[in-house]
Amino acid sequence: MNKITAAITAVGSYVPDFVLSNQVLETLVDTNDEWITSRTGIKERRLLKEEGQGTSFMAIKAAQNLLEKANLDPKEIDLVIMATATPDLPVASTGVYVATQIGATNAFAYDLQAACSSFLYGMSTAAAYIASGRYKKVLLIGADKMSSIIDYTDRATCIIFGDGAGAVLFEPNTEGLGLQDEILKSDGIGREFLKIESGGSILPPNEDTVKNKQHFVYQDGKTVFKYAVSGMADVSEQIMQRNNLSQDDVNWLVAHQANRRIIDATANRMGVDESKVLINIQKYGNTTSATLPLVLADFEHKFKKGDNIIFAAFGGGFTWGSIYLKWAY
Ligand code: UT7
Protein backbone atom coordinates (compact mmCIF):
# COMPACT_ATOMS: atom_id res chain seq x y z
CA MET A 1 0.00 0.00 0.00
CA ASN A 2 1.15 3.52 -0.77
CA LYS A 3 2.19 5.69 2.13
CA ILE A 4 -0.57 8.00 3.43
CA THR A 5 0.19 11.72 3.30
CA ALA A 6 -2.09 14.53 4.52
CA ALA A 7 -3.37 16.78 1.76
CA ILE A 8 -5.36 19.99 1.84
CA THR A 9 -8.49 19.25 -0.20
CA ALA A 10 -10.63 22.35 0.43
CA VAL A 11 -10.33 25.96 1.63
CA GLY A 12 -12.84 28.45 3.06
CA SER A 13 -12.66 31.96 4.49
CA TYR A 14 -14.52 34.85 6.05
CA VAL A 15 -13.66 38.45 6.85
CA PRO A 16 -16.02 40.96 8.49
CA ASP A 17 -17.50 43.76 6.36
CA PHE A 18 -16.24 46.68 8.46
CA VAL A 19 -13.07 48.25 7.02
CA LEU A 20 -10.65 50.21 9.22
CA SER A 21 -8.43 52.19 6.85
CA ASN A 22 -5.10 53.88 7.53
CA GLN A 23 -6.89 57.20 6.99
CA VAL A 24 -9.29 56.48 9.86
CA LEU A 25 -6.38 55.35 12.08
CA GLU A 26 -4.80 58.76 11.44
CA THR A 27 -7.75 60.23 13.36
CA LEU A 28 -7.31 57.83 16.30
CA VAL A 29 -3.54 57.88 16.94
CA ASP A 30 -0.45 59.83 15.91
CA THR A 31 0.31 57.99 12.67
CA ASN A 32 -0.08 58.39 8.93
CA ASP A 33 -0.84 56.32 5.86
CA GLU A 34 2.65 56.79 4.43
CA TRP A 35 4.35 55.46 7.60
CA ILE A 36 2.04 52.45 7.95
CA THR A 37 2.28 51.54 4.27
CA SER A 38 6.06 51.82 4.01
CA ARG A 39 6.80 50.12 7.38
CA THR A 40 4.22 47.31 7.21
CA GLY A 41 2.54 47.12 3.78
CA ILE A 42 -0.90 47.44 5.40
CA LYS A 43 -3.56 49.74 3.90
CA GLU A 44 -6.66 48.52 5.74
CA ARG A 45 -7.94 45.78 8.01
CA ARG A 46 -11.34 44.24 8.82
CA LEU A 47 -13.01 44.46 12.24
CA LEU A 48 -15.86 42.36 13.62
CA LYS A 49 -18.30 44.92 14.94
CA GLU A 50 -21.35 42.72 15.57
CA GLU A 51 -22.46 43.15 19.16
CA GLY A 52 -21.91 40.08 21.33
CA GLN A 53 -20.07 38.08 18.65
CA GLY A 54 -16.62 36.57 19.14
CA THR A 55 -14.08 34.56 17.18
CA SER A 56 -16.53 31.66 16.72
CA PHE A 57 -18.79 33.89 14.60
CA MET A 58 -16.06 34.22 11.95
CA ALA A 59 -14.82 30.62 12.36
CA ILE A 60 -18.32 29.27 11.70
CA LYS A 61 -18.67 31.43 8.58
CA ALA A 62 -15.28 30.29 7.22
CA ALA A 63 -16.11 26.64 7.91
CA GLN A 64 -19.52 27.00 6.27
CA ASN A 65 -17.87 28.59 3.23
CA LEU A 66 -15.57 25.54 2.97
CA LEU A 67 -18.43 23.04 3.44
CA GLU A 68 -20.42 24.74 0.70
CA LYS A 69 -17.49 24.95 -1.75
CA ALA A 70 -16.50 21.32 -1.14
CA ASN A 71 -20.13 20.12 -1.04
CA LEU A 72 -19.21 18.28 2.16
CA ASP A 73 -21.62 16.84 4.74
CA PRO A 74 -20.33 18.14 8.11
CA LYS A 75 -21.26 14.79 9.71
CA GLU A 76 -18.32 13.26 7.82
CA ILE A 77 -15.78 15.38 9.73
CA ASP A 78 -13.84 13.44 12.39
CA LEU A 79 -12.03 16.28 14.12
CA VAL A 80 -12.17 20.08 14.28
CA ILE A 81 -9.01 21.89 15.38
CA MET A 82 -9.58 25.55 16.21
CA ALA A 83 -6.37 27.58 15.99
CA THR A 84 -6.90 30.84 17.85
CA ALA A 85 -5.29 33.26 20.27
CA THR A 86 -8.64 34.94 21.00
CA PRO A 87 -11.07 32.23 22.11
CA ASP A 88 -14.70 33.25 22.72
CA LEU A 89 -14.24 32.53 26.45
CA PRO A 90 -11.12 31.78 28.54
CA VAL A 91 -12.72 28.44 29.50
CA ALA A 92 -15.06 26.43 27.23
CA SER A 93 -13.34 25.54 24.00
CA THR A 94 -14.32 27.69 21.02
CA GLY A 95 -13.68 24.77 18.65
CA VAL A 96 -16.27 22.62 20.41
CA TYR A 97 -18.92 25.31 19.97
CA VAL A 98 -17.95 25.86 16.32
CA ALA A 99 -18.08 22.12 15.53
CA THR A 100 -21.60 21.86 16.96
CA GLN A 101 -22.79 24.99 15.18
CA ILE A 102 -21.62 23.79 11.76
CA GLY A 103 -23.25 20.38 12.28
CA ALA A 104 -20.02 18.41 12.70
CA THR A 105 -21.85 16.22 15.21
CA ASN A 106 -19.59 13.18 14.77
CA ALA A 107 -16.40 15.16 15.34
CA PHE A 108 -14.49 15.93 18.52
CA ALA A 109 -12.91 19.36 18.74
CA TYR A 110 -10.44 21.45 20.65
CA ASP A 111 -8.48 24.73 20.55
CA LEU A 112 -4.78 25.12 19.75
CA GLN A 113 -2.92 28.27 20.81
CA ALA A 114 0.55 29.24 19.59
CA ALA A 115 -0.02 32.96 18.90
CA CYS A 116 0.66 33.84 15.25
CA SER A 117 1.97 30.31 14.60
CA SER A 118 -1.29 28.67 15.73
CA PHE A 119 -2.37 27.76 12.21
CA LEU A 120 1.06 26.49 11.16
CA TYR A 121 1.30 24.26 14.25
CA GLY A 122 -2.31 23.22 13.58
CA MET A 123 -1.33 22.07 10.09
CA SER A 124 1.29 19.82 11.65
CA THR A 125 -1.21 18.42 14.18
CA ALA A 126 -3.97 17.87 11.61
CA ALA A 127 -1.57 16.22 9.18
CA ALA A 128 -0.20 13.86 11.86
CA TYR A 129 -3.71 12.59 12.66
CA ILE A 130 -4.31 11.92 8.95
CA ALA A 131 -0.91 10.38 8.16
CA SER A 132 -1.27 8.00 11.13
CA GLY A 133 -4.41 6.62 9.49
CA ARG A 134 -6.46 7.43 12.58
CA TYR A 135 -8.85 9.98 11.02
CA LYS A 136 -10.02 10.70 7.48
CA LYS A 137 -11.32 14.28 7.62
CA VAL A 138 -9.76 16.92 9.84
CA LEU A 139 -11.05 20.48 9.65
CA LEU A 140 -8.47 23.06 10.71
CA ILE A 141 -9.80 26.56 11.32
CA GLY A 142 -7.68 29.64 12.04
CA ALA A 143 -9.61 32.62 13.38
CA ASP A 144 -8.91 35.64 15.54
CA LYS A 145 -10.83 38.65 16.71
CA MET A 146 -7.72 40.73 17.38
CA SER A 147 -9.85 43.86 17.82
CA SER A 148 -11.01 42.38 21.16
CA ILE A 149 -7.48 42.59 22.62
CA ILE A 150 -6.11 45.70 20.90
CA ASP A 151 -5.88 49.18 22.45
CA TYR A 152 -6.94 51.64 19.75
CA THR A 153 -4.95 54.39 21.45
CA ASP A 154 -1.67 52.43 21.12
CA ARG A 155 -0.10 53.12 17.73
CA ALA A 156 2.48 50.38 18.26
CA THR A 157 -0.22 47.70 17.87
CA CYS A 158 -3.49 49.12 16.54
CA ILE A 159 -2.09 49.75 13.07
CA ILE A 160 -1.05 46.12 12.60
CA PHE A 161 -3.86 43.79 13.61
CA GLY A 162 -7.21 42.86 12.08
CA ASP A 163 -9.96 40.24 12.39
CA GLY A 164 -10.63 37.27 10.10
CA ALA A 165 -10.99 33.53 9.68
CA GLY A 166 -9.96 30.76 7.32
CA ALA A 167 -10.38 27.00 7.19
CA VAL A 168 -8.81 24.04 5.41
CA LEU A 169 -9.76 20.37 5.19
CA PHE A 170 -7.05 17.72 5.52
CA GLU A 171 -7.64 14.28 3.96
CA PRO A 172 -5.47 11.23 3.23
CA ASN A 173 -3.62 11.12 -0.08
CA THR A 174 -1.81 8.17 -1.64
CA GLU A 175 -0.26 10.06 -4.58
CA GLY A 176 2.45 11.60 -2.43
CA LEU A 177 0.75 15.02 -2.31
CA GLY A 178 0.12 17.14 0.80
CA LEU A 179 2.44 17.78 3.72
CA GLN A 180 6.03 16.73 2.95
CA ASP A 181 8.13 18.17 5.76
CA GLU A 182 8.07 20.58 8.67
CA ILE A 183 10.43 22.52 10.91
CA LEU A 184 8.68 23.85 14.02
CA LYS A 185 10.44 25.91 16.67
CA SER A 186 9.73 27.76 19.91
CA ASP A 187 11.71 29.81 22.43
CA GLY A 188 10.36 31.18 25.72
CA ILE A 189 12.70 34.15 25.47
CA GLY A 190 9.90 35.79 23.47
CA ARG A 191 7.39 35.98 26.30
CA GLU A 192 8.39 39.43 27.48
CA PHE A 193 8.31 41.04 24.03
CA LEU A 194 4.78 40.14 22.89
CA LYS A 195 2.14 39.41 25.51
CA ILE A 196 -1.07 40.24 27.32
CA GLU A 197 -0.05 40.67 30.95
CA SER A 198 -3.37 40.26 32.70
CA GLY A 199 -6.24 37.83 32.38
CA GLY A 200 -4.16 34.68 32.83
CA SER A 201 -3.23 32.75 35.96
CA ILE A 202 -0.30 34.99 36.91
CA LEU A 203 -2.29 38.19 37.01
CA PRO A 204 -6.05 37.67 37.03
CA PRO A 205 -7.94 40.79 35.96
CA ASN A 206 -8.89 43.39 38.54
CA GLU A 207 -9.77 47.08 38.53
CA ASP A 208 -6.11 48.13 38.39
CA THR A 209 -5.16 45.82 35.51
CA VAL A 210 -8.04 47.20 33.49
CA LYS A 211 -7.14 50.78 34.39
CA ASN A 212 -3.53 50.07 33.37
CA LYS A 213 -4.71 48.50 30.10
CA GLN A 214 -2.93 45.24 30.90
CA HIS A 215 -5.71 43.27 29.19
CA PHE A 216 -4.49 44.56 25.81
CA VAL A 217 -1.65 43.28 23.63
CA TYR A 218 1.76 44.72 24.43
CA GLN A 219 4.45 44.41 21.75
CA ASP A 220 8.07 45.50 21.62
CA GLY A 221 7.82 45.69 17.83
CA LYS A 222 11.49 46.32 17.09
CA THR A 223 12.66 43.25 19.03
CA VAL A 224 9.92 40.99 17.65
CA PHE A 225 10.76 42.23 14.16
CA LYS A 226 14.42 41.29 14.59
CA TYR A 227 13.65 37.76 15.78
CA ALA A 228 10.91 37.31 13.16
CA VAL A 229 13.17 38.23 10.24
CA SER A 230 15.92 35.81 11.19
CA GLY A 231 13.59 33.08 12.52
CA MET A 232 11.31 32.88 9.51
CA ALA A 233 14.11 33.19 6.96
CA ASP A 234 16.25 30.52 8.71
CA VAL A 235 13.59 27.79 8.77
CA SER A 236 12.37 28.54 5.26
CA GLU A 237 15.89 28.25 3.87
CA GLN A 238 16.51 25.07 5.92
CA ILE A 239 13.38 23.33 4.70
CA MET A 240 14.35 24.05 1.08
CA GLN A 241 17.85 22.67 1.60
CA ARG A 242 16.62 19.60 3.46
CA ASN A 243 14.24 18.75 0.62
CA ASN A 244 16.67 19.64 -2.17
CA LEU A 245 14.37 22.39 -3.42
CA SER A 246 15.94 25.06 -5.60
CA GLN A 247 14.37 28.49 -5.91
CA ASP A 248 12.85 27.32 -9.20
CA ASP A 249 11.27 24.27 -7.56
CA VAL A 250 9.31 26.46 -5.14
CA ASN A 251 6.04 27.59 -6.72
CA TRP A 252 4.65 29.70 -3.87
CA LEU A 253 5.61 31.22 -0.54
CA VAL A 254 2.63 31.41 1.84
CA ALA A 255 3.94 33.42 4.77
CA HIS A 256 2.35 34.81 7.91
CA GLN A 257 1.20 38.33 7.05
CA ALA A 258 2.57 40.38 9.96
CA ASN A 259 4.79 42.81 8.15
CA ARG A 260 5.58 43.04 4.44
CA ARG A 261 9.24 43.62 5.24
CA ILE A 262 9.50 40.33 7.19
CA ILE A 263 7.96 38.42 4.27
CA ASP A 264 10.31 40.09 1.77
CA ALA A 265 13.35 39.24 3.91
CA THR A 266 12.27 35.58 3.99
CA ALA A 267 11.69 35.52 0.23
CA ASN A 268 15.10 37.09 -0.36
CA ARG A 269 16.87 34.49 1.74
CA MET A 270 15.01 31.72 -0.12
CA GLY A 271 15.93 33.38 -3.41
CA VAL A 272 12.39 33.04 -4.76
CA ASP A 273 11.04 35.46 -7.31
CA GLU A 274 8.67 38.19 -6.14
CA SER A 275 5.91 36.75 -8.34
CA LYS A 276 5.81 33.65 -6.10
CA VAL A 277 5.36 35.58 -2.88
CA LEU A 278 1.66 35.70 -2.01
CA ILE A 279 0.62 38.89 -0.27
CA ASN A 280 -2.74 40.10 1.04
CA ILE A 281 -1.52 42.01 4.09
CA GLN A 282 -2.63 45.29 2.45
CA LYS A 283 -6.29 44.22 2.79
CA TYR A 284 -6.42 42.50 6.19
CA GLY A 285 -3.34 43.40 8.26
CA ASN A 286 -2.17 40.76 10.73
CA THR A 287 -5.09 38.45 11.52
CA THR A 288 -2.87 36.17 13.67
CA SER A 289 -4.24 32.59 13.25
CA ALA A 290 -6.11 33.47 10.05
CA THR A 291 -3.29 34.85 7.87
CA LEU A 292 -2.20 31.57 6.24
CA PRO A 293 -5.68 30.24 5.34
CA LEU A 294 -6.72 33.71 4.13
CA VAL A 295 -3.76 33.69 1.74
CA LEU A 296 -4.76 30.20 0.57
CA ALA A 297 -8.34 31.35 0.02
CA ASP A 298 -7.35 34.49 -1.89
CA PHE A 299 -4.88 32.68 -4.18
CA GLU A 300 -6.50 29.21 -4.42
CA HIS A 301 -7.35 29.90 -8.08
CA LYS A 302 -3.64 30.12 -8.92
CA PHE A 303 -2.58 26.77 -7.42
CA LYS A 304 -2.10 23.67 -9.55
CA LYS A 305 -1.92 20.03 -8.50
CA GLY A 306 1.64 19.20 -7.49
CA ASP A 307 2.69 22.82 -6.80
CA ASN A 308 5.39 23.11 -4.15
CA ILE A 309 4.31 25.53 -1.43
CA ILE A 310 6.47 26.72 1.43
CA PHE A 311 4.53 27.96 4.46
CA ALA A 312 6.27 30.12 7.07
CA ALA A 313 5.13 31.82 10.26
CA PHE A 314 6.49 33.63 13.29
CA GLY A 315 4.61 34.67 16.41
CA GLY A 316 4.53 35.45 20.10
CA GLY A 317 6.09 33.04 22.54
CA PHE A 318 8.24 32.95 20.42
CA THR A 319 6.81 30.33 18.08
CA TRP A 320 7.82 29.85 14.47
CA GLY A 321 8.36 27.38 11.70
CA SER A 322 8.05 26.33 8.11
CA ILE A 323 6.07 23.62 6.31
CA TYR A 324 6.63 22.19 2.83
CA LEU A 325 3.40 21.02 1.19
CA LYS A 326 2.48 19.79 -2.28
CA TRP A 327 -0.88 21.15 -3.44
CA ALA A 328 -3.33 18.35 -4.18
CA TYR A 329 -5.93 19.80 -6.59
O1 UT7 B 1 2.66 38.53 14.15
C1 UT7 B 1 3.34 38.37 15.35
C2 UT7 B 1 4.70 38.89 15.28
N1 UT7 B 1 4.71 40.32 15.14
C3 UT7 B 1 5.45 40.88 14.20
O2 UT7 B 1 6.01 40.20 13.40
C4 UT7 B 1 5.57 42.38 14.21
C5 UT7 B 1 7.03 42.76 14.17
N2 UT7 B 1 7.28 44.17 14.29
C6 UT7 B 1 6.96 45.06 13.30
O3 UT7 B 1 6.31 44.70 12.34
C7 UT7 B 1 7.49 46.46 13.41
O4 UT7 B 1 8.42 46.52 14.45
C8 UT7 B 1 6.41 47.55 13.63
C9 UT7 B 1 5.57 47.70 12.38
C10 UT7 B 1 5.55 47.20 14.83
C11 UT7 B 1 7.10 48.88 13.88
O5 UT7 B 1 7.97 49.20 12.80
P1 UT7 B 1 9.50 49.63 13.07
O6 UT7 B 1 10.08 49.92 11.77
O7 UT7 B 1 10.12 48.55 13.90
O8 UT7 B 1 9.30 50.95 13.88
P2 UT7 B 1 9.98 51.38 15.26
O9 UT7 B 1 9.20 50.85 16.40
O10 UT7 B 1 11.45 51.11 15.20
O11 UT7 B 1 9.80 52.94 15.18
C12 UT7 B 1 10.43 53.75 14.17
C13 UT7 B 1 9.95 55.17 14.28
C14 UT7 B 1 10.02 55.72 15.70
O12 UT7 B 1 10.31 57.09 15.60
P3 UT7 B 1 11.81 57.63 15.80
O13 UT7 B 1 12.20 57.19 17.17
O14 UT7 B 1 12.62 56.98 14.73
O15 UT7 B 1 11.65 59.09 15.63
C15 UT7 B 1 8.62 55.53 16.22
O16 UT7 B 1 8.31 56.43 17.24
O17 UT7 B 1 8.57 55.24 13.92
C16 UT7 B 1 7.80 55.78 15.00
N3 UT7 B 1 6.53 55.06 15.02
C17 UT7 B 1 5.43 55.44 14.33
N4 UT7 B 1 5.21 56.50 13.53
C18 UT7 B 1 3.99 56.59 12.96
C19 UT7 B 1 6.22 53.91 15.67
N5 UT7 B 1 4.97 53.53 15.42
C20 UT7 B 1 4.45 54.47 14.59
C21 UT7 B 1 3.19 54.63 13.97
N6 UT7 B 1 3.02 55.70 13.16
N7 UT7 B 1 2.18 53.75 14.14
Side-chain angles (χ1 to χ4, degrees):
M1 211 183 90
N2 284 346
K3 186 175 163 234
I4 299 171
T5 48
I8 292 177
T9 56
V11 176
S13 68
Y14 173 79
V15 290
D17 295 331
F18 183 88
V19 175
L20 177 61
S21 66
N22 289 351
Q23 285 72 22
V24 172
L25 278 172
E26 285 177 7
T27 68
L28 301 178
V29 291
D30 179 15
T31 192
N32 58 78
D33 176 50
E34 202 281 317
W35 191 93
I36 301 173
T37 307
S38 62
R39 296 288 179 128
T40 70
I42 303 167
K43 297 299 277 185
E44 57 188 42
R45 53 308 277 136
R46 303 297 183 98
L47 265 52
L48 181 65
K49 289 286 196 182
E50 275 82 351
E51 191 74 27
Q53 298 293 359
T55 294
S56 66
F57 179 85
M58 298 182 290
I60 291 166
K61 296 247 188 224
Q64 286 170 337
N65 177 238
L66 180 149
L67 293 170
E68 208 171 290
K69 279 170 65 186
N71 196 18
L72 175 71
D73 179 353
K75 292 195 177 58
E76 288 181 35
I77 298 170
D78 301 305
L79 162 62
V80 175
I81 300 174
M82 177 78 232
T84 187
T86 52
D88 283 4
L89 309 168
V91 173
S93 162
T94 304
V96 170
Y97 177 74
V98 170
T100 299
Q101 290 298 308
I102 63 170
T105 47
N106 293 315
F108 73 105
Y110 59 86
D111 294 355
L112 188 158
Q113 211 280 54
C116 288
S117 303
S118 299
F119 193 85
L120 189 88
Y121 282 19
M123 288 175 69
S124 163
T125 308
Y129 279 118
I130 296 285
S132 71
R134 195 173 292 190
Y135 301 114
K136 298 269 183 290
K137 286 183 169 49
V138 179
L139 181 67
L140 171 63
I141 307 172
D144 269 305
K145 184 180 169 184
M146 294 307 292
S147 61
S148 66
I149 52 171
I150 292 300
D151 173 8
Y152 285 90
T153 65
D154 177 10
R155 71 175 184 173
T157 52
C158 75
I159 57 139
I160 301 168
F161 293 99
D163 303 340
V168 300
L169 184 70
F170 275 94
E171 291 187 272
N173 184 284
T174 50
E175 296 176 80
L177 302 171
L179 197 141
Q180 306 294 310
D181 195 13
E182 64 181 36
I183 298 174
L184 302 181
K185 302 264 189 184
S186 60
D187 186 344
I189 196 176
R191 176 147 118 169
E192 67 180 285
F193 305 116
L194 178 47
K195 63 183 171 186
I196 296 179
E197 273 189 329
S198 138
S201 55
I202 294 178
L203 186 59
N206 60 43
E207 272 179 40
D208 285 338
T209 64
V210 173
K211 210 163 53 201
N212 297 334
K213 300 185 170 190
Q214 287 164 296
H215 56 297
F216 289 127
V217 170
Y218 161 82
Q219 177 173 245
D220 171 353
K222 224 192 246 304
T223 305
V224 176
F225 184 88
K226 204 179 74 194
Y227 279 96
V229 164
S230 61
M232 234 165 81
D234 283 351
V235 289
S236 304
E237 189 184 33
Q238 276 167 26
I239 210 162
M240 282 175 70
Q241 284 171 355
R242 201 155 94 170
N243 291 278
N244 296 317
L245 293 171
S246 73
Q247 56 207 55
D248 293 333
D249 296 328
V250 174
N251 296 100
W252 309 107
L253 170 63
V254 175
H256 174 53
Q257 311 278 304
N259 188 317
R260 176 77 206 236
R261 290 183 292 145
I262 299 172
I263 302 170
D264 289 344
T266 300
N268 274 341
R269 180 86 78 80
M270 294 167 68
V272 297
D273 191 74
E274 208 184 330
S275 61
K276 298 177 174 181
V277 183
L278 303 180
I279 301 284
N280 61 8
I281 193 172
Q282 73 282 4
K283 294 195 286 181
Y284 310 132
N286 180 352
T287 55
T288 303
S289 309
T291 59
L292 298 180
L294 281 175
V295 170
L296 292 181
D298 279 2
F299 294 96
E300 187 186 14
H301 62 281
K302 283 184 175 280
F303 301 154
K304 293 190 190 61
K305 190 171 172 174
D307 275 1
N308 290 319
I309 304 181
I310 300 293
F311 291 80
F314 188 94
F318 294 126
T319 55
W320 72 104
S322 182
I323 284 179
Y324 164 34
L325 176 137
K326 278 185 179 289
W327 198 247
Y329 60 96

